[in-house]
């Protein structure tokens, strides 16, 4: 199936831990994104990569570090997790000209920090 | 900065009714607008994508319109069904990213 795949789907961890979320797309897209959806369902962009290069880096704590080993993968590493990091994190991809074709989203990773 | 607002925040209708969801945005300099559906605990499914040069798009019982100059879009759902119950999000593409609204939570009562 052609899709944007995220792992894990659920992640429960203690404060202070370091965790990673992985994202892969097999759509042939060259741009990938991380979005955070808060408890009020509001989606806000965190990072965007085009062909492994960072193009959007919104105001996010530097505990969050994206890594793109190739244009089909964009991982998110989070250091020293805090309670406020609990949210659903969505990966998405598009052609660089997202203006034409829009976004395709993964199914999300629900992160709970306890 | 682009801001996207969706009204109403929640809507409950009996099965079979036609309904309209509204989306407004503050900056008309957009490339396109995309409507998504999100089921509880799930990801976002794209419903319709309207380019800035287009006025509307249709898919089955769904029709989305765009009035770029006034900063408005509507999603019309005909003959609603319980399976349409979900949160509907609109997003506008401007600059180099999509900006999302806060969504309308729709419940269709059998």
């Amino acid at each position: 199936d052609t899709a944007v795949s995220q792992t894990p789907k659920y992640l429960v961890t203690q404060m202070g831990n370091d965790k990673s979320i992985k994202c892969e797309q097999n759509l042939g897209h060259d741009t990938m994104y991380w979005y955070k959806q808060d408890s009020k369902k509001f989606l806000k962009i965190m990072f965007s990569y085009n062909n492994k290069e960072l193009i959007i880096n919104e105001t996010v704590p530097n505990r969050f570090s994206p890594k793109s080993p190739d244009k089909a993968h964009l991982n998110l590493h989070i250091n020293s997790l805090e309670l406020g990091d609990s949210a659903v994190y969505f990966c998405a991809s598009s052609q660089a000209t997202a203006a034409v074709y829009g976004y395709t989203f993964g199914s999300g990773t629900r992160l709970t920090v306890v | 900065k682009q801001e996207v607002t969706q009204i109403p925040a929640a809507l409950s209708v009996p099965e079979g009714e036609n309904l309209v969801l509204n989306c407004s945005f503050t900056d008309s300099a957009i490339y396109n607008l995309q409507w998504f559906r999100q089921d509880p605990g799930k990801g976002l499914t794209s419903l319709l994508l309207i380019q800035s040069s287009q006025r509307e798009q249709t898919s089955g019982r769904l029709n989305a319109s765009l009035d770029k100059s006034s900063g408005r879009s509507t999603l019309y759902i005909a003959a609603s069904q319980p399976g349409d119950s979900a949160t509907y999000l609109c997003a506008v593409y401007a600059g180099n990213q999509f900006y999302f609204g806060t969504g309308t939570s729709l419940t269709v009562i059998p």
Side-chain angles (χ1 to χ4, degrees), chain B residues 13-36:
Chain B
V13 300
E15 182 177 1
E17 261 198 21
N18 303 325
L19 58 101
V20 175
L21 307 181
N22 297 292
C23 173
S24 61
F25 45 96
T26 54
D27 188 344
S28 62
I30 67 168
Y31 292 104
N32 62 35
L33 183 146
Q34 195 166 358
W35 281 94
F36 293 89

Side-chain angles (χ1 to χ4, degrees), chain B residues 16-91:
Chain B
E17 261 198 21
N18 303 325
L19 58 101
V20 175
L21 307 181
N22 297 292
C23 173
S24 61
F25 45 96
T26 54
D27 188 344
S28 62
I30 67 168
Y31 292 104
N32 62 35
L33 183 146
Q34 195 166 358
W35 281 94
F36 293 89
R37 168 186 173 138
Q38 185 175 25
D39 292 283
K42 306 280 186 179
L44 280 73
T45 301
S46 178
L47 297 173
L48 290 163
L49 173 68
I50 312 177
Q51 301 300 334
S52 61
S53 58
Q54 296 175 321
R55 298 285 290 185
E56 65 179 334
Q57 283 285 343
T58 298
S59 175
R61 294 182 294 108
L62 305 180
N63 175 278
S65 69
L66 174 63
D67 183 344
K68 201 174 84 156
S69 60
S70 67
R72 293 172 193 262
S73 174
T74 61
L75 179 67
Y76 174 82
I77 303 177
S80 58
Q81 302 171 358
D84 295 331
S85 298
T87 296
Y88 291 80
L89 294 157
C90 78

Side-chain angles (χ1 to χ4, degrees), chain A residues 84-97:
Chain A
D85 297 331
S86 295
V88 181
Y89 292 85
F90 284 100
C91 177
S93 72
S94 70
Q95 287 297 93
T97 50

Side-chain angles (χ1 to χ4, degrees), chain A residues 1-68:
Chain A
D1 287 344
T2 53
V4 179
S5 306
Q6 290 181 235
T7 54
K9 190 171 174 63
Y10 300 97
L11 184 54
V12 181
T13 187
Q14 291 187 321
M15 281 176 55
N17 283 350
D18 302 339
K19 290 293 178 185
S20 292
I21 307 172
K22 295 186 176 182
C23 180
E24 175 182 6
Q25 55 92 6
N26 61 4
L27 298 163
H29 291 167
D30 56 11
T31 306
M32 297 183 72
Y33 312 82
W34 278 110
Y35 274 83
K36 179 180 179 179
Q37 187 174 44
D38 61 24
S39 57
K40 295 183 179 178
K41 305 290 188 188
F42 184 63
L43 272 157
K44 189 166 166 46
I45 194 166
M46 300 173 69
F47 303 103
S48 168
Y49 271 75
N50 175 259
N51 277 323
K52 304 192 296 177
E53 303 234 357
L54 182 66
I55 56 172
I56 294 176
N57 185 357
E58 290 293 298
T59 308
V60 228
N62 57 16
R63 298 181 296 102
F64 290 78
S65 54
K67 284 190 171 53
S68 182

